[in-house]
């Protein structure tokens, strides 16, 4: 019987520590987004910390490579390179999974042209 009580106490401590870790990770996410200038933009959702996981859409592989370290240093963030994006955007990872589920690579590429940060570019630059 005493083993169960100790086990319950241990689980309670783990739960408390996990909560503190999540709070610290939220602070990391805030600091990271502030350094990218995302918290000041009007097009960025303000409730991003409520999302289970955050998808950060970057416009090219160069930016993705610069930010690669943070993928491992911060929990709950994932990166996606969208060559049709004009800047960094954030989305709920759940939305990405729902939108890309059961799609072929070609369908996903076409979808990225107009969503998840994608901006369709004109074929003729004079227009």
């Amino acid at each position: 019987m005493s083993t169960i009580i100790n086990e319950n106490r241990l689980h309670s401590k783990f739960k408390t520590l996990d909560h503190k870790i999540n709070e610290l990770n939220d602070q990391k996410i805030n600091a990271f987004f502030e350094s990218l200038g995302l918290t000041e933009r009007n097009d960025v959702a303000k409730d991003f910390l409520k999302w289970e996981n955050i998808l950060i859409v970057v416009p090219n592989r160069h930016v993705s490579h610069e930010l690669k370290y943070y993928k491992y240093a911060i929990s709950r963030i994932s990166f996606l390179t969208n060559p049709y994006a004009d800047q960094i955007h954030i989305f709920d990872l759940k939305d990405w999974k729902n939108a890309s589920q059961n799609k072929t690579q070609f369908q996903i590429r076409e979808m990225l042209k107009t969503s998840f940060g994608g901006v369709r570019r004109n074929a003729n630059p004079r227009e």
Side-chain angles (χ1 to χ4, degrees):
M1 189 82 172
S2 64
T3 304
I4 293 174
I5 294 172
N6 290 337
E7 191 173 313
N8 288 337
R9 187 179 305 157
L10 179 63
H11 287 294
S12 175
K13 283 189 176 197
F14 281 176
K15 189 174 182 177
T16 302
L17 290 170
D18 284 341
H19 181 71
K20 288 178 183 179
I21 289 169
N22 288 336
E23 285 179 349
L24 290 172
N25 192 63
D26 286 350
Q27 290 177 11
K28 283 183 177 181
I29 292 170
N30 269 328
F32 182 57
F33 285 3
E34 283 176 15
S35 71
L36 294 174
L38 295 174
T39 55
E40 298 152 8
R41 288 185 11 205
N42 292 330
D43 64 328
V44 173
K46 303 301 180 203
D47 63 342
F48 57 84
L49 288 177
K50 293 180 182 176
W51 299 340
E52 188 175 334
N53 290 297
I54 301 168
L55 177 68
I56 302 170
V57 178
V58 296
N60 57 52
R61 288 188 176 142
H62 177 71
V63 174
S64 180
H65 184 70
E66 285 182 26
L67 301 178
K68 180 172 58 171
Y69 164 76
Y70 299 102
K71 176 170 57 171
Y72 304 109
I74 303 171
S75 298
R76 295 182 35 219
I77 63 171
S78 299
F79 289 91
L80 170 73
T81 302
N82 183 353
Y84 303 102
D86 58 346
Q87 58 185 342
I88 296 174
H89 298 276
I90 64 167
F91 299 96
D92 188 343
L93 185 62
K94 230 183 261 184
D95 293 341
W96 166 254
K97 287 182 178 181
N98 289 337
S100 63
Q101 184 178 352
N102 299 326
K103 296 221 182 329
T104 65
Q105 189 174 6
F106 176 77
Q107 290 171 323
I108 290 173
R109 196 175 318 127
E110 289 299 310
M111 178 183 67
L112 287 175
K113 289 181 180 179
T114 57
S115 59
F116 292 96
V119 177
R120 190 174 289 279
R121 293 183 173 90
N122 291 335
N124 187 351
R126 294 182 203 171
E127 292 179 5

